[in-house]
Amino acid sequence: MRFARITLGLLLTLAGLVATVAGAVAAFWLVGPDNTISTPDRELASTGLAVVSAPTLLDRHGPTLHVTASGAKPLFVGIGQDLDVRNYLAGSAHTRLIRFEPPATFGTQDLRGRSSKLTPPGSLDWWVAQSAPGSQSVTWPIQDGRYDVVVMNADGSPAVGAQVSFGVQVHRLFGICLLVLGAGVLVLALGLTLMFRRRKAAVVAAADAETTTEIPVPVAARIPVLVPTASSTSEAQENAPAYRVSPFAPERVSPFAPVRPEPKPVPAAPMFMSAAAVARAKSPALIGAGASQRYDEPPLYDAPAQPAERTEPVEPETVPLAASPEFEKSDEAVRRTAALLASGALLLTTTSCGLMPPKNSLTAPDSRPAVTLADAQAVVQRYNQLNNQANQTRDAKLSATIEGNPTLAQTQAGFVIGRKLDAAGKDVSKPFSYTDPEIGAPQFASYPMRFVVSSGISNAPGNRQLGVWQRENAGSPWLLTHSVYPPKGVALPSVDGMRTPDSSDLDKLQSQPATVAKDLAAYLTGGESAPQAKLFTPSPSLSSLQKLRATSKANDTAEPYIASVTDAFLPSGEPLTFITSSGDALVFLTLSEQYLQRVEPGSNAYWTSGEATAFSSMVKYTQTLHQDYLHQVALVIPAKSAGNAIQVLSIDPQLIGAGGQ
């Protein structure tokens, strides 16, 4: 067992030394009290528009990532989902980091493409983390999913050059390093104790063996019964020893002889036995069961002389090593040491299991809500501000920065009409804003992305605004593409929990959105008597439009120079469909309308007043006159199980052209 102890002590000493050095280096050189492992500054440059990390480099989540960059130009540092970053840089030249080898070795790949200036990244709202203006660093708790780190010029121009350093902050890392250091010191001390303590004990045992001589006593040997010897004279009897120890050494006296009050002291034999040997000599087992007579008593009878019996030597009892007390003590020590080491390993494992961040587990394609609530409110607020500026000056270019078709087409047509009918600008739109917006932001896995807003109107308390904002790609702004104004009396579906439809959602609807668009166009073309009329529950705005068109037809037909009038509606573009939390579909669609008047042969006609003069003024037509309208419609398609009619929420027309032949 001594060899085993020394071997175990040597192994523990080596392990403790390694753990101590590793813990000290990790705690005071690699990590530090801020729990952050940082790389030194590394120059990353690109002739393209950005330096981007591949999503595989951020394949674990949990720790906090720190990125710091510095360069000759103002830099932008941002972190975004891969679907946004990939779309933003699509077709542009940039450099991608595809490999990282600690402490500061990066593998890069240059991707070719165009080098035209991109939208300044700081103006985009899809970054999950970005550097503040004037700052070139970002801190972000790494999330599960596919994310990219982007370093680029703040103005979106090409030729990026930066000194970049990365840091990963792991919770409790410094404390764990100190724990490893302390555990290493304890294991080192335990190993040294096992080694040198056993050596010291062996030296003491060897010293005892050199200074102590034991007289071996046979296990089964008997102590001979001592018989007093006869003497012819009383003097001889007096001087004779009381007990003989050996016939070969008559002068020896038993050390166990009782002290009798004799005139002469009993001489004692010299002591050559150790204390252990004396104890064995005194043992009753060594004296034997037959030694019942006291040494100081005379014999009870004279036994006849008999030849001495020859006793066979008895082998000492042999105890197996595994059952010896020394082995049991050594084995117990080894077990305790092993238990201590196992407990320490379990403690280190338990406390260190959180150090290794978990691997990203999201296997579904990247997707995210189109916008956050805060960002959507910021979009609406920006629209309120810029839309009022554009309305005051009838600035179509400014409107194009916040609106998209079909809303932009209606707005620009309104500006044309306004400049024609109100050249002095006395009848411009009064400032207004959309108030208390409710946001519905479905999940999207690709662009374009959209979200729905239901809000009040500051200058029209009897109506609400229901609109769709769309972003065509990651580098474009949010634009208001669809906007209707249903009266407050119309019940609007909740936008909370709204999502984009899949095939199963569409199969549950009473009718497909594209079919509904065609049916609504046929209904408006044919009027209230059309077969499709029974499919819809009209809104107040739709009923008002039908009455207006019926009146116009009657009045225009009564004119002597108008032979006939037709009014035709057609679907325009693809409907936008969203599934509400109730399972119904909120659909935004666009209809085009041409109001056509046929001129009587031999006659001519032209516009002398009204909105149509903004597009055709004082131009004589001999065959036809036409007015073109663009209608935005919002409606609800119920599920098949509900059995309800399709509800038209609002229809909002705008004259966008006029002419003739």
Side-chain angles (χ1 to χ4, degrees), residues 148-424:
D148 302 333
V149 179
V150 179
V151 178
M152 58 187 302
N153 293 328
D155 59 357
S157 61
V160 180
Q163 293 286 333
V164 183
S165 66
F166 297 88
V168 177
Q169 182 180 355
V170 182
H171 183 53
R172 303 191 311 270
L173 179 58
F174 182 67
I176 295 299
C177 293
L178 293 180
L179 183 61
V180 172
L181 174 61
V185 172
L186 290 178
V187 173
L188 178 61
L190 179 60
L192 294 175
T193 300
L194 288 176
M195 292 176 62
F196 292 103
R197 185 177 180 183
R198 293 308 300 167
R199 290 180 179 178
K200 182 178 179 181
V203 171
V204 172
D208 289 343
E210 291 178 359
T211 57
T212 304
T213 303
E214 294 187 4
I215 299 178
V217 179
V219 176
R222 294 186 175 215
I223 296 178
V225 180
L226 302 180
V227 181
T229 57
S231 178
S232 58
T233 64
S234 61
E235 184 178 357
Q237 191 171 6
E238 273 182 11
N239 297 330
Y243 303 93
R244 283 202 307 273
V245 178
S246 172
F248 304 103
E251 70 279 4
R252 294 284 301 277
V253 179
S254 171
F256 308 110
V259 179
R260 291 190 289 181
E262 294 182 354
K264 292 183 179 180
V266 179
M271 191 67 171
F272 294 101
M273 294 187 295
S274 66
V278 172
R280 286 198 297 270
K282 290 182 178 181
S283 174
L286 297 177
I287 297 176
S292 60
Q293 182 180 351
R294 290 171 53 93
Y295 292 120
D296 56 351
E297 293 180 355
L300 299 178
Y301 58 90
D302 293 334
Q306 296 181 357
E309 296 182 1
R310 184 177 179 182
T311 59
E312 295 292 334
V314 180
E315 294 292 334
E317 183 180 359
T318 301
V319 181
L321 176 61
S324 66
E326 292 79 2
F327 184 90
E328 292 179 357
K329 292 179 180 179
S330 300
D331 188 55
E332 180 66 21
V334 172
R335 284 198 298 269
R336 290 181 179 178
T337 302
L340 178 62
L341 294 177
S343 301
L346 180 61
L347 176 63
L348 287 176
T349 302
T350 304
T351 55
S352 303
C353 61
L355 287 181
M356 179 59 69
K359 294 277 288 185
N360 291 344
S361 58
L362 293 180
T363 57
D366 286 343
S367 65
R368 64 171 179 85
V371 70
T372 64
L373 177 61
D375 289 338
Q377 291 175 340
V379 169
V380 175
Q381 183 62 34
R382 179 175 179 269
Y383 177 85
N384 290 336
Q385 179 183 359
L386 297 182
N387 182 59
N388 286 324
Q389 294 178 13
N391 290 339
Q392 292 297 313
T393 59
R394 296 188 176 111
D395 188 346
K397 291 183 178 180
L398 182 57
S399 293
T401 64
I402 55 175
E403 292 182 346
N405 290 326
T407 298
L408 179 61
Q410 290 184 330
T411 298
Q412 291 176 338
F415 288 166
V416 172
I417 295 173
R419 285 194 292 268
K420 176 65 176 180
L421 302 182
D422 181 34

Side-chain angles (χ1 to χ4, degrees), residues 34 121 144 229 505 596:
D34 59 354
D144 192 0
T229 57
D505 292 323
L596 182 65

Side-chain angles (χ1 to χ4, degrees), residues 434-446:
Y434 297 144
T435 61
D436 302 323
E438 299 175 6
I439 312 299
Q443 291 271 343
F444 283 91
S446 62

